[in-house]
Amino acid sequence: MENIRNFCIIAHIDHGKSTLADRLLEFTGSVDKRYMTDQLLDDMDLEKERGITIKSHAIQMSHKIDNTSYVLNLIDTPGHVDFSYEVSRSIASCEGALLIVDASQGIQAQTISNLYLALEQGLEIIPILNKIDLPGAMIDEVSDQIIDLIGCKSDDILNVSAKEGIGIEKVIETIIKKIPFPKGDHTKSLQAMIFDSVFNSFRGIEVLFRVFNGEISKGDKVKFINTGKEYNVEEIGILKFKKEPKSKIEAGNVGYLISGIKNAKEVKVGDTITHSDNPSNLLIKGFEDVKPMVFAGIYPVETSDYEELRSSLEKLQLNDASLIWDPETSAALGFGFRCGFLGMLHMDIIQERLEREFNMSVITTVPSVEFKCTKSNGDLLSIYAPSEMPELNEISYIEEPIITAQIITKSDYIGGIIKLCIDRRGIITNQLYLSKDRVELSFTLPLSEIVFDFYDKLKSISRGYASLDYELSGFTKSKMVKIDIMLNGERVDALSSIVHREKAYDWGKKLCIKLKELLPRQMFEIAIQSSIGTKIISRETVRALRKNVTAKCYGGDITRKRKLLEKQKKGKKRMRQVGNVEIPQEAFMAVLKIEQ
Amino acid sequence: MAGIYIHIPFCKQACYYCNFHFSTTKNYKILIKSIQDEIYLKKKFLNKEKIESIYFGGGTPSLIKSEYIKQIIKTLKAHFKIKNNCEITFEANPDDINNQKLKIWKKLGINRLSIGIQTFDNAILKSMNRSHNSLLAKKALKKIKTQFNNYSIDLIYGAPKSTIKTLKKDLKIIKDINPPHVSIYNMTIEKNTVFYNLKKLGKLKFPNISSVLKQYQIIHKSMIELKYINYEISNFSKNNFISIHNSNYWKSKKYIGFGPSAHSYDLKYRYWNVSNNQKYINEINKKKLPEKKEKLSKNNIINEHIMTRLRTIWGLNLKEIKEKFQIDLYSIKKNELNLFKKEKHIEIKNNTIILNKKGKIISDYITEKIML
């Protein structure tokens, strides 16, 4: 145990976490050169493209210093705000953390919140200034930020360029020297915490865990305390570049477990593994059942693909237990699913994975949050979709989820950001200068206001520099109303949205204007109306098609024109019909583009 | 029965709206030789089917020496079975026309001329970079009338600078000349044209849609008053002067094309030649056909059938569709058809769908809805 070091990396997107991890693997000879591709830990194409790690992974390295061999377990962490709980479990599995800060960009919001998590858990922090080779590197300034933040000495900060391989050896040495070895008692009954799981289509789910006390061996009968489920350990081992089966894993170490688990829902991150015989009664603290925060309908573009979409979602759920879904029906979109996501990025990722990995074309409706409705008769109701909203006269009051948000930005952009947050019904609660020109702003904001393009707006106001971190802080009473959209008098359920009363008129008007842009001209005039209850609040008109005719249609024109019309027709097959109006897919996401 | 199309890919200068293949080089001799070779290479294409129409298009067929035309016709006659009273159309520009040429063309067997007038308005002609003016056009037409009883005038409406006034002026001249056939095309901005680029740069002003629709209404009203039959969206003719060659495109008859960029059709495949004179010549020299082809699926064939028939006065016959393709189009498209009927875009008579005036102006929209 004295020779084990468990550590994670805390860094903002693009600050070089994956590149540094690759260098560590390379330096310790953990990977054959032939297998080196950029960013080994990021498996999914999506992760490589976006430069983020969506799901965490782990890898074991070994290194010798002064004839002593050390085992280094790197537990990777997802780099996005939506996955903060998973980050917290990864952090809880470690004794130390590398804090990587991009020397050209400085500290960002999520870095700070993850850092605080690590400090709370008592992790040893090794500050690393990365990208020191860049011409824009502000070594002194960013070093000062780090010193202010964690109270280290300037000597403690390691200057690194992961890309150029500068300072890597020093990082390894410091990990071994400074990070405490894990404490635990392998004679006690088994306590191991699940910090991740990976889906393997042949063998079921691979559970990644860290043993805190006791030891786990192949053939053991184990129990997951939270779910109460029991399994036989078919295989355990350590995670090198490839899985390496072992007969047992002892306290302090990190490993994987295979026991034929088919359903990812049974494997909850944060759960504790113990033995069925001689169990530990103690859960490792910090377990939470992660709840989705953002909800949206996902519908197949081709209505006939409903069953295929269901099986794709089932498969996705196998390796992403945080995705939840239920069948839903929409008059406009047909059969689909109401899905719950951890956040907007998670929603984007699910959509993209459906398209890329499962070749599914989907229509995603306007995202919503969970509203709590108390009805006049005293009944309580959770509303996950606008269609679930009761009639106005049945509502006593509605509560909406509130978040506390931290935004770190260059001071130049404070004005714009405060305005954005106030426009989104936010209240500023704190303003803290981290350095001369970097400020941490704290807000309370309704969650429903950040699911509509808040992040994009924030990025554009701050020219990409501001970073955001948030957590749910509770529910508060709000005057929320449902806005409906009618096309030629027919209500289109999938276009409804729930917004604050004070914004409703402006919202309805903008939405009608946006829809006018997106609806193609048809044989008829189309009236677009928005309403609250039965009251119409705005109207736009799409005029009827006036002219659409090919002038010349001789020899060569025939094929050309036929192909064009067939292509258009194919495009329109993806449209949905409500009454006599055809609605293109983009229209269902119009709300998100309302300000563009 | 089938048709032959010959593409003569040369022009004096580029008209700013035209995207047909042409070149302003003058290597006529070798290209004509290649066309003759292509005719020889494809002599079996129609399997001895009789030819009822030949069409010289371009480019500008009237630009090249009549001797070349003579050679082509001679080669055609040597390798294809040509019907006695075969319609032979020749596209000509007003500035190439004189009495002597007209006589020679007639002697070669050409019995129909198609004259690229476009408009009689000098300002519009100039803005299109046409090489003739209004006076020249009128003089040429006078000469044509003395030698040819079958000829057609091409007009364009909705061009930049065109107005209701310029259109009415054009129609007045049509009334005076009283040609047996007129094609009136709505200005279309095609890619790779000067107009396309000017439009993209915002440097070209087009009449607004209301004006164009008004022009369309006026054309229809006047042409019907002048006793023309609007037998296809853009084509008007007096009795017995319907273009056989062009009509066959809309009746899905076979055709064979020779020359760069020419298309062919044999009911199963569509073929198209390379749109480059030198590549065309090089391939033919190697005794290779410079063509690409595409097999039409059953649905493609049905869709082409729907698209072309709907453009014509003969309409889309539902019984014919049923017999030819074993599908009941009416029951498949019942909702759409009834809606179009209700809105007076189409008429259904004797099992035949015909676009009426209101439908013709959105014919692409209707076609797309009725297509499979």
Side-chain angles (χ1 to χ4, degrees):
Chain A
M1 205 146 58
E2 287 76 12
N3 297 341
I4 295 177
R5 299 291 181 273
N6 297 320
F7 68 102
C8 60
I9 300 178
I10 295 170
H12 191 70
I13 297 166
D14 276 345
H15 281 203
K17 181 178 68 169
S18 300
T19 313
L20 180 69
D22 289 352
R23 288 291 163 270
L24 297 179
L25 298 181
E26 211 178 36
F27 189 84
T28 55
S30 307
V31 186
D32 193 315
K33 275 259 182 197
R34 280 174 304 168
Y35 295 119
M36 277 305 277
T37 57
D38 282 348
Q39 302 183 2
L40 287 165
L41 286 177
D42 294 349
D43 280 344
M44 284 190 240
D45 285 347
L46 211 56
E47 293 184 329
K48 279 184 192 153
E49 267 169 42
R50 292 195 174 209
I52 53 166
T53 307
I54 297 165
K55 293 280 287 170
S56 47
H57 305 265
I59 195 155
Q60 191 173 96
M61 301 169 261
S62 41
H63 190 65
K64 240 184 202 172
I65 288 184
D66 304 332
N67 276 331
T68 312
S69 218
Y70 291 90
V71 169
L72 310 177
N73 286 311
L74 166 58
I75 296 173
D76 199 15
T77 53
H80 192 275
V81 57
D82 288 356
F83 302 95
S84 54
Y85 177 69
E86 296 195 17
V87 175
S88 81
R89 294 305 85 199
S90 295
I91 286 172
S93 308
C94 300
E95 281 74 38
L98 310 183
L99 171 68
I100 303 183
V101 181
D102 184 329
S104 65
Q105 293 193 50
I107 289 170
Q108 306 289 324
Q110 282 153 248
T111 321
I112 293 188
S113 59
N114 290 342
L115 175 67
Y116 287 157
L117 271 175
L119 288 171
E120 271 169 38
Q121 298 276 342
L123 266 57
E124 176 68 32
I125 309 293
I126 300 174
I128 292 173
L129 199 57
N130 191 23
K131 306 198 188 180
I132 53 158
D133 59 308
L134 286 188
M138 307 170 287
I139 296 178
D140 293 339
E141 199 184 325
V142 180
S143 295
D144 285 345
Q145 287 176 17
I146 295 172
I147 292 166
D148 282 352
L149 200 65
I150 60 173
C152 63
K153 295 193 199 102
S154 68
D155 297 347
D156 294 334
I157 301 171
L158 306 180
N159 286 356
V160 166
S161 166
K163 198 172 148 230
E164 302 299 326
I166 301 168
I168 305 302
E169 187 171 8
K170 184 84 181 153
V171 172
I172 305 250
E173 281 173 18
T174 312
I175 289 169
I176 292 170
K177 227 182 275 168
K178 282 200 172 170
I179 294 177
F181 59 83
K183 288 169 190 65
D185 186 344
H186 62 262
T187 60
K188 281 192 180 169
S189 45
L190 173 66
Q191 268 184 309
M193 186 181 71
I194 300 172
F195 63 85
D196 197 9
S197 63
V198 182
F199 178 70
N200 177 325
S201 50
F202 299 105
R203 310 199 52 193
I205 290 157
E206 295 165 12
V207 178
L208 309 190
F209 61 84
R210 147 82 197 265
V211 183
F212 282 86
N213 284 309
E215 55 184 42
I216 181 168
S217 304
K218 189 177 170 182
D220 284 356
K221 198 165 185 199
V222 294
K223 183 167 120 179
F224 291 3
I225 298 182
N226 265 294
T227 59
K229 300 238 179 198
E230 299 194 351
Y231 308 94
N232 282 317
V233 178
E234 288 170 13
E235 180 180 319
I236 53 166
I238 53 169
L239 293 145
K240 294 243 169 167
F241 182 58
K242 286 177 178 159
K243 286 193 292 288
E244 208 175 286
K246 297 273 175 197
S247 55
K248 69 176 176 185
I249 309 277
E250 295 181 342
N253 212 348
V254 169
Y256 71 90
L257 171 158
I258 294 175
S259 57
I261 304 172
K262 294 280 183 301
N263 188 346
K265 277 186 183 165
E266 294 175 22
V267 183
K268 297 201 174 200
V269 167
D271 202 351
T272 304
I273 307 173
T274 190
H275 282 121
S276 298
D277 309 323
N278 184 25
S280 164
N281 295 322
L282 282 180
L283 256 171
I284 293 158
K285 71 170 187 194
F287 176 77
E288 277 174 35
D289 222 345
V290 195
K291 288 204 179 78
M293 303 247 265
V294 176
F295 303 85
I298 292 188
Y299 290 82
V301 165
E302 308 283 350
T303 44
S304 54
D305 288 344
Y306 173 73
E307 283 304 329
E308 211 182 320
L309 177 58
R310 174 198 290 274
S311 91
S312 304
L313 284 170
E314 275 167 359
K315 282 178 198 149
L316 265 182
Q317 210 174 30
L318 289 178
N319 64 2
D320 185 352
S322 49
L323 167 71
I324 63 157
W325 48 269
D326 267 317
E328 176 186 70
T329 316
S330 149
L333 295 171
F335 293 107
F337 300 93
R338 173 109 320 222
C339 300
F341 311 97
L342 298 176
M344 291 300 283
L345 178 89
H346 189 212
M347 175 170 142
D348 279 359
I349 289 165
I350 296 294
Q351 271 185 80
E352 277 198 53
R353 291 187 64 191
L354 280 171
E355 302 225 342
R356 288 187 195 201
E357 293 168 35
F358 299 94
N359 275 325
M360 293 297 312
S361 298
V362 295
I363 300 174
T364 309
T365 63
V366 179
S368 181
V369 301
E370 177 193 359
F371 294 99
K372 289 183 172 162
C373 174
T374 304
K375 292 171 77 172
S376 321
N377 63 9
D379 286 357
L380 263 171
L381 190 68
S382 277
I383 299 169
Y384 299 101
S387 59
E388 294 166 0
M389 185 99 146
E391 295 297 323
L392 277 173
N393 56 13
E394 293 174 26
I395 299 172
S396 171
Y397 61 88
I398 287 174
E399 291 166 286
E400 67 170 332
I402 300 293
I403 56 164
T404 56
Q406 278 77 45
I407 295 171
I408 293 181
T409 175
K410 269 190 168 175
S411 49
D412 304 358
Y413 309 119
I414 292 179
I417 290 171
I418 291 179
K419 185 177 179 306
L420 171 70
C421 290
I422 288 172
D423 284 348
R424 300 301 180 100
R425 299 189 284 132
I427 298 163
I428 185 160
T429 55
N430 197 14
Q431 184 170 343
L432 178 72
Y433 274 81
L434 301 172
S435 66
K436 262 207 304 270
D437 67 342
R438 289 182 70 76
V439 182
E440 185 189 53
L441 301 168
S442 301
F443 293 91
T444 60
L445 276 159
L447 178 63
S448 66
E449 293 282 349
I450 69 159
V451 300
F452 300 130
D453 79 344
F454 179 83
Y455 203 62
D456 291 342
K457 276 262 156 63
L458 181 65
K459 287 281 169 190
S460 83
I461 288 171
S462 64
R463 309 213 174 147
Y465 284 117
S467 58
L468 164 76
D469 188 55
Y470 66 82
E471 59 182 1
L472 195 64
S473 64
F475 280 76
T476 190
K477 273 192 196 175
S478 277
K479 292 191 167 129
M480 306 306 290
V481 291
K482 182 170 77 143
I483 296 187
D484 290 320
I485 295 291
M486 289 185 289
L487 298 179
N488 279 354
E490 294 232 20
R491 201 167 77 179
V492 185
D493 56 2
L495 286 173
S496 297
S497 45
I498 297 172
V499 298
H500 194 265
R501 181 178 286 280
E502 274 167 26
K503 292 184 156 191
Y505 282 83
D506 187 43
W507 186 267
K509 195 173 164 196
K510 282 184 178 158
L511 191 50
C512 287
I513 292 170
K514 193 74 207 174
L515 285 168
K516 186 182 175 179
E517 279 171 34
L518 294 171
L519 292 178
R521 286 188 172 205
Q522 293 167 34
M523 212 182 6
F524 306 93
E525 195 172 273
I526 306 168
I528 307 170
Q529 292 168 306
S530 65
S531 69
I532 298 173
T534 52
K535 191 178 172 198
I536 306 291
I537 55 176
S538 60
R539 180 193 159 118
E540 294 288 329
T541 307
V542 179
R543 295 190 66 180
L545 181 68
R546 297 174 80 188
K547 179 174 158 290
N548 183 11
V549 53
T550 303
K552 287 193 174 189
C553 196
Y554 302 116
D557 306 316
I558 296 172
T559 304
R560 224 174 2 252
K561 195 68 203 175
R562 188 253 306 150
K563 280 185 182 165
L564 190 75
L565 292 176
E566 281 177 347
K567 196 175 149 200
Q568 283 174 9
K569 189 169 187 81
K570 210 174 154 199
K572 284 187 190 162
K573 265 193 185 154
R574 299 180 143 213
M575 289 198 192
R576 292 303 156 96
Q577 186 131 6
V578 172
N580 53 20
V581 182
E582 287 174 323
I583 310 169
Q585 288 176 62
E586 311 87 76
F588 295 103
M589 289 296 270
V591 178
L592 291 179
K593 295 176 190 141
I594 207 163
E595 312 266 344
Q596 288 165 20
Chain B
M1 294 287 185
I4 285 177
Y5 175 81
I6 312 280
H7 192 80
I8 306 294
F10 299 107
C11 285
K12 234 183 252 180
Q13 60 197 52
C15 301
Y16 287 167
Y17 54 84
C18 178
N19 74 333
F20 282 87
H21 168 65
F22 72 93
S23 160
T24 49
T25 58
K26 297 194 165 79
N27 52 344
Y28 307 142
K29 194 173 174 183
I30 177 144
L31 197 118
I32 301 302
K33 166 76 171 52
S34 299
I35 289 181
Q36 289 174 278
D37 290 346
E38 191 191 3
I39 294 170
Y40 180 78
L41 287 171
K42 297 209 287 208
K43 64 180 180 176
K44 287 186 178 149
F45 185 90
L46 290 173
N47 213 359
K48 290 185 181 164
E49 206 161 314
K50 261 199 176 172
I51 303 299
E52 63 174 333
S53 68
I54 297 171
Y55 194 105
F56 287 88
T60 316
S62 58
L63 191 66
I64 61 169
K65 274 193 282 183
S66 307
E67 181 57 30
Y68 293 132
I69 304 300
K70 189 178 168 184
Q71 285 167 14
I72 292 171
I73 294 179
K74 199 176 138 196
T75 314
L76 285 175
K77 283 185 172 162
H79 301 296
F80 288 93
K81 266 180 125 176
I82 294 166
K83 213 179 131 195
N84 265 341
N85 53 352
C86 176
E87 177 192 272
I88 305 182
T89 306
F90 192 74
E91 283 185 350
N93 273 349
D95 42 331
D96 293 327
I97 286 169
N98 59 47
N99 283 325
Q100 199 199 350
K101 275 192 187 171
L102 288 168
K103 255 179 221 159
I104 296 171
W105 292 340
K106 208 169 169 184
K107 217 174 132 193
L108 294 176
I110 290 162
N111 49 28
R112 186 174 181 269
L113 293 183
S114 172
I115 314 299
I117 303 282
Q118 319 314 354
T119 172
F120 293 95
D121 185 281
N122 282 333
I124 301 174
L125 284 170
K126 204 173 164 207
S127 75
M128 291 175 172
N129 198 36
R130 292 290 297 179
S131 56
H132 69 272
N133 60 35
S134 173
L135 186 66
L136 202 63
K138 287 179 195 163
K139 280 186 178 168
L141 287 166
K142 227 177 220 170
K143 287 173 193 154
I144 289 164
K145 278 179 92 165
T146 63
Q147 309 231 24
F148 285 83
N149 69 334
N150 190 359
Y151 64 95
S152 175
I153 289 177
D154 274 0
L155 291 181
I156 290 177
Y157 75 98
K161 289 182 197 271
S162 73
T163 60
I164 304 294
K165 212 173 142 191
T166 61
L167 176 78
K168 283 188 170 166
K169 196 171 72 185
D170 284 348
L171 292 171
K172 170 73 174 57
I173 297 169
I174 292 295
K175 186 183 173 186
D176 294 343
I177 296 170
N178 195 26
H181 189 285
V182 190
S183 300
I184 312 181
Y185 300 110
N186 185 196
M187 178 94 231
T188 310
I189 303 302
E190 305 283 0
K191 274 189 180 169
N192 305 319
T193 61
V194 173
F195 273 3
Y196 180 85
N197 293 325
L198 289 174
K199 192 183 175 190
K200 232 169 67 179
L201 295 169
K203 287 185 179 168
L204 198 60
K205 229 185 121 199
F206 287 84
N208 62 33
I209 179 142
S210 299
S211 170
V212 174
L213 286 172
K214 187 88 197 289
Q215 293 191 35
Y216 169 83
Q217 308 289 358
I218 293 169
I219 289 164
H220 271 252
K221 193 159 169 273
S222 315
M223 294 305 279
I224 302 306
E225 274 168 15
L226 296 174
K227 304 269 184 302
Y228 286 93
I229 306 161
N230 182 207
Y231 71 100
E232 192 260 359
I233 301 251
S234 306
N235 284 285
F236 300 84
S237 94
K238 291 284 171 75
N239 263 333
N240 302 324
F241 288 99
I242 287 172
S243 160
I244 295 170
H245 186 83
N246 286 343
S247 300
N248 285 348
Y249 288 128
W250 311 313
K251 292 175 178 172
S252 12
K253 292 203 185 172
K254 289 182 192 173
Y255 55 87
I256 177 167
F258 302 107
S261 84
H263 285 62
S264 308
Y265 171 60
D266 63 4
L267 308 184
K268 291 189 179 91
Y269 284 88
R270 290 204 182 267
Y271 309 77
W272 55 96
N273 282 348
V274 61
S275 294
N276 177 303
N277 290 2
Q278 199 51 52
K279 280 184 189 160
Y280 172 81
I281 292 165
N282 293 346
E283 287 298 290
I284 294 282
N285 272 345
K286 288 184 253 170
K287 304 229 177 315
K288 277 191 204 153
L289 290 177
E291 69 182 16
K292 285 189 175 154
K293 66 176 176 179
E294 181 187 33
K295 191 175 177 17
L296 298 172
S297 69
K298 187 183 170 191
N299 267 15
N300 293 154
I301 294 172
I302 297 171
N303 285 341
E304 287 187 356
H305 183 102
I306 293 170
M307 180 178 89
T308 49
R309 292 298 199 286
L310 276 179
R311 296 181 67 87
T312 68
I313 196 169
W314 307 292
L316 178 62
N317 186 289
L318 292 163
K319 211 175 128 202
E320 188 190 350
I321 291 248
K322 205 178 248 172
E323 281 162 8
K324 244 177 136 170
F325 307 111
Q326 291 79 47
I327 59 160
D328 185 353
L329 192 67
Y330 184 78
S331 57
I332 299 172
K333 298 286 176 180
K334 203 171 175 179
N335 291 343
E336 289 88 344
L337 290 170
N338 283 331
L339 195 61
F340 288 130
K341 201 174 153 186
K342 200 178 123 212
E343 294 292 312
K344 300 202 166 32
H345 287 94
I346 60 168
E347 278 170 39
I348 308 180
K349 272 185 195 160
N350 302 326
N351 244 333
T352 305
I353 304 166
I354 296 170
L355 298 185
N356 57 27
K357 198 171 144 194
K358 214 173 145 193
K360 278 176 192 166
I361 198 73
I362 57 162
S363 68
D364 286 2
Y365 178 83
I366 295 172
T367 303
E368 192 203 296
K369 291 278 173 198
I370 302 180
M371 271 183 167
L372 298 184

